[in-house]
């Protein structure tokens, strides 16, 4: 239940550390997010972005340090998955998100009842408490909760959902959009959103951006959507996976890119200066040691006080040089780690194929898809777009052979089709990353380590991590790794940029540009769409695809 006093809002982390097992994620992190800031959190997959949001939301506690999150107007946390049992209903999800407002309504009702029976001595105090409750409710715009909920469900394409529908019957995209609608309907002062644009079409993304730009409270959002980030955020927080810390950048995305490049140049310069100084001192130690050794063997040095003075002087130089060398070795300057770079070379399975790779004729799937005719030729490019519910994912699953149509025919001339689903598959609990990558491939998992590492999607220390312990982004990269290491004549990609870091998205775009095979892709990423070269197919709900 929200506080009703006049405590000022604040959001700070002080010396926060967080680890999962022996994997340190955050180390001595300190930061302050000012009330009213619109902050975007970025970083490599698995760096700790979602962990940071959970700490801010109070969903997890740090191993050490302190998190202070005081927001009298409430906190709303959108996780990447809807944390409710599959037998719960849409209405249950709404009520769960509105729990603070429901509690406030109950407190107002109780205060009204208490006022009716209050004694003369207690009346003034109870009236003041009642007024505080009403003020808090009005500040949360509580009287418009139901209209706001309906508007959010409509804008996010969920009006077809009945309130008694079980959550387990919803697709992953529907669950994600429902969770977002619920958080926005609660109108909390602090919004903590983890990848809110995943599963949103262009119209819904535009609506969300305007909602967040007009939000009167504080916003912290994890996003990989470059256009959305530029449009919404004023401040960038980068979670650095290697340093396990968080760095703040002002001036939005443009300011971040400039400052980040300058910081990397400074770090490279410091490393080179350390190497140069280390080499110089090592040579000095070696040379001084040689001179000292020679001074004890050269008969021309003579004897007596002059020789002892020379030896003492050389010994002092050697000691000083060795002290400096020891200092440099105890306090090394590490080189900036090379960024993960997607280095896959996408290849086809067949040298030359005649005729279409896939042909659809008279295909229909329930009321979701109606395709009189569609042909995918070798080397072609097709971008499929349309609002949520128009059948984009259904079409891709039919093309890839993941779904059989109710009516019509699908003819394929190749068995080598690579499919990247929008939703993550079931996660095994203990299977290490490397073994999951090597599944179905000949030989031992260790024989495939070099191939996986060469893609630039993971580091060596990731290989033994159980898949269930990976972040959503890392699991997405695992699926991409399995996809791109098998020759395919056709790649069918459903939202390939979801849960993928900003730098990696650009490298994937370059890899796809050089791929000689055919590509059919669905993407809501505006930058991806604007740079796409090829044919475009716009789906409309209930309209045949021609």
């Amino acid at each position: 239940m929200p506080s009703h006093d006049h405590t000022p809002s604040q959001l700070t982390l002080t010396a926060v550390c967080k680890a999962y097992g022996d994997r340190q994620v955050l180390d001595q992190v300190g930061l302050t997010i000012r009330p009213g800031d619109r902050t975007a959190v970025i970083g490599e997959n698995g760096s700790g972005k979602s962990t940071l949001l959970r700490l801010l939301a109070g969903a997890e506690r740090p191993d050490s340090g302190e998190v202070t999150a005081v927001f009298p107007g409430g906190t709303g946390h959108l996780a990447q998955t809807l944390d409710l049992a599959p037998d719960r209903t849409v209405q249950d999800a709404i009520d769960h998100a509105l729990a603070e407002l429901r509690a406030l309504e109950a407190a107002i009702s109780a205060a009204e009842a208490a006022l009716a029976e209050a004694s003369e001595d207690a009346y003034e105090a109870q009236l003041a408490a009642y007024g505080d409750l009403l003020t808090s409710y009005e500040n949360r715009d509580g009287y418009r909760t139901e209209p706001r909920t309906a508007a959010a469900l409509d804008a996010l394409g969920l009006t077809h959902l009945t309130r008694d529908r079980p959550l387990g019957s919803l697709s992953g995209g529907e669950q994600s959009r429902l969770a977002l609608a619920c958080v926005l309907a609660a109108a909390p002062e602090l919004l903590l959103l983890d990848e809110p644009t995943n599963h949103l079409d262009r119209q819904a993304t535009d609506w969300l951006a305007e909602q967040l730009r007009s939000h009167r409270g504080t916003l912290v959002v994890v996003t990989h959507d470059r256009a959305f980030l530029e449009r919404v955020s004023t401040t960038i927080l980068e979670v650095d996976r290697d340093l396990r810390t968080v760095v703040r950048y002002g001036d939005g995305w443009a300011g971040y890119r400039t400052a980040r490049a300058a910081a990397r140049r400074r770090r490279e310069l410091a490393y080179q200066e350390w190497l140069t100084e280390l080499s110089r001192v090592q040579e000095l130690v070696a040379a001084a040691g040689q001179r000292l050794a020679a001074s004890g063997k050269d008969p021309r040095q003579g004897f007596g006080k002059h020789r002892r003075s020379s030896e003492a002087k050389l010994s002092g130089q050697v000691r000083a040089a060795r002290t400096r060398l020891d200092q440099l070795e105890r306090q090394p300057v590490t080189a900036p780690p090379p960024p993960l770079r997607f280095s896959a070379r996408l290849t086809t399975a067949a040298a030359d194929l005649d005729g279409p790779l896939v042909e659809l004729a008279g295909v229909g799937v329930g009321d979701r898809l109606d395709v009189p005719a569609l042909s995918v030729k070798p080397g072609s490019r097709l971008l499929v777009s349309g609002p949520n519910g128009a059948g984009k994912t259904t079409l891709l699953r039919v093309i890839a052979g993941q779904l059989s149509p109710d009516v019509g025919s699908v003819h394929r001339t190749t068995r080598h089709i690579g499919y990247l689903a929008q939703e993550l598959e079931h996660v095994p609990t203990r299977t290490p990353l490397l073994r999951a990558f090597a599944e179905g491939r000949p030989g031992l998992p260790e024989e495939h380590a070099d191939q996986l590492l060469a893609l630039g999607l993971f580091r060596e220390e990731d290989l033994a991590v159980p898949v269930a312990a990976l972040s959503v982004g890392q699991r997405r990269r695992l699926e991409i790794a399995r996809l791109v290491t098998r020759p395919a004549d056709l790649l069918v990609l459903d939202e390939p940029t979801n849960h993928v870091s900003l730098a990696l998205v650009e490298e994937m775009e370059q890899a796809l540009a050089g791929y000689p095979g055919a590509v059919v892709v669905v993407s809501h990423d505006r930058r991806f769409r604007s740079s796409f070269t090829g044919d475009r197919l716009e789906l409309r709900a209930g309209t045949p695809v021609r």
Side-chain angles (χ1 to χ4, degrees), residues 78 156 175-185 193 196-197 200 208:
L78 174 72
L156 298 176
Q175 290 194 28
S176 295
R177 285 180 279 136
L178 174 60
L180 177 59
C182 290
V183 169
L184 296 176
L193 307 180
T197 62
L200 298 189
L208 176 62

Side-chain angles (χ1 to χ4, degrees), residues 44-57:
E44 289 183 9
N45 299 115
S47 60
K49 301 185 297 297
S50 295
T51 297
L52 178 63
L53 246 62
R54 289 194 295 270
L55 290 170
L56 294 175

Side-chain angles (χ1 to χ4, degrees), residues 91 207 247 308 345 358 363 368 390 436 473 483 486 527 533:
Q91 185 63 54
W207 176 85
V247 182
R308 288 195 298 273
R345 291 185 66 253
V358 180
V363 164
R368 291 174 289 167
L483 175 78
R486 289 188 169 111
R527 292 288 176 84
T533 57

Side-chain angles (χ1 to χ4, degrees), residues 79 81 151 180 196 274 282 373 454 528 542:
T81 55
L180 177 59
W274 177 81
Q282 286 174 334
F528 184 94

Side-chain angles (χ1 to χ4, degrees), residues 297-361:
K297 299 177 181 180
D298 190 344
R300 291 175 295 179
Q301 287 281 340
F303 299 91
K305 182 177 180 181
H306 176 71
R307 176 175 176 179
R308 288 195 298 273
S309 175
S310 297
E311 289 178 346
K313 183 177 181 180
L314 281 172
S315 296
Q317 291 175 346
V318 171
R319 284 195 299 272
R322 286 177 176 169
T323 299
R324 175 59 176 156
L325 180 60
D326 181 61
Q327 181 185 38
L328 289 169
E329 290 176 339
R330 282 188 292 106
Q331 299 176 338
V333 176
T334 58
L340 290 176
R341 295 195 180 280
F342 184 58
S343 55
R345 291 185 66 253
L346 306 178
T347 60
T348 55
D352 31 349
L353 289 167
D354 295 328
L357 299 174
V358 180
E359 277 191 300
L360 279 62

Side-chain angles (χ1 to χ4, degrees), residues 6 44 53 71 132 272 288 315 349 355 366 402 438 447 452 464 478 497:
H6 302 289
E44 289 183 9
L53 246 62
F71 285 88
D132 287 343
Q272 289 301 323
S315 296
Q402 301 292 313
E447 297 175 29
L452 176 57
L478 172 59
T497 63

Side-chain angles (χ1 to χ4, degrees), residues 266-484:
R266 288 194 300 270
R267 192 170 172 186
E268 289 172 343
L269 179 60
Y271 176 65
Q272 289 301 323
E273 289 176 345
W274 177 81
L275 283 179
T276 300
E277 177 69 357
L278 181 68
S279 178
R280 185 188 71 80
V281 174
Q282 286 174 334
E283 292 177 358
L284 184 61
V285 168
Q290 290 174 355
R291 289 198 302 273
L292 182 60
S295 69
K297 299 177 181 180
D298 190 344
R300 291 175 295 179
Q301 287 281 340
F303 299 91
K305 182 177 180 181
H306 176 71
R307 176 175 176 179
R308 288 195 298 273
S309 175
S310 297
E311 289 178 346
K313 183 177 181 180
L314 281 172
S315 296
Q317 291 175 346
V318 171
R319 284 195 299 272
R322 286 177 176 169
T323 299
R324 175 59 176 156
L325 180 60
D326 181 61
Q327 181 185 38
L328 289 169
E329 290 176 339
R330 282 188 292 106
Q331 299 176 338
V333 176
T334 58
L340 290 176
R341 295 195 180 280
F342 184 58
S343 55
R345 291 185 66 253
L346 306 178
T347 60
T348 55
D352 31 349
L353 289 167
D354 295 328
L357 299 174
V358 180
E359 277 191 300
L360 279 62
V363 164
V365 179
D367 58 357
R368 291 174 289 167
L369 190 67
D370 180 8
V371 186
L374 181 65
S375 177
V376 180
K377 299 178 181 178
S380 63
R381 297 285 195 275
L382 179 64
L383 175 66
V384 181
S385 59
N388 291 318
K392 301 185 299 296
T393 292
T394 301
L395 175 60
L396 262 60
R397 293 183 65 201
V398 170
I399 292 173
Q402 301 292 313
L403 176 68
S404 297
D406 297 332
V407 296
S409 64
V410 181
H411 178 65
R412 299 180 184 87
T413 59
T414 178
R415 295 182 296 105
H416 301 285
I417 298 176
Y419 175 59
L420 182 67
Q422 180 180 159
E423 299 173 18
L424 293 169
E425 297 179 356
H426 171 70
V427 183
T429 56
R430 297 182 180 177
T431 303
L433 167 63
L434 179 58
R435 188 187 303 170
F437 170 74
E439 185 177 347
R441 301 166 192 253
L444 298 172
E446 292 75 17
E447 297 175 29
H448 301 280
D450 289 344
Q451 182 185 32
L452 176 57
L453 292 174
L455 294 176
L457 296 172
F458 295 98
R459 294 189 171 92
E460 190 168 2
E461 60 265 28
D462 298 325
L463 300 185
V465 176
V467 173
L470 298 176
S471 70
V472 173
Q474 287 174 309
R475 287 161 52 196
R476 186 67 165 175
R477 279 189 287 170
L478 172 59
E479 293 184 348
I480 292 172
R482 288 179 56 84
L483 175 78
V484 302

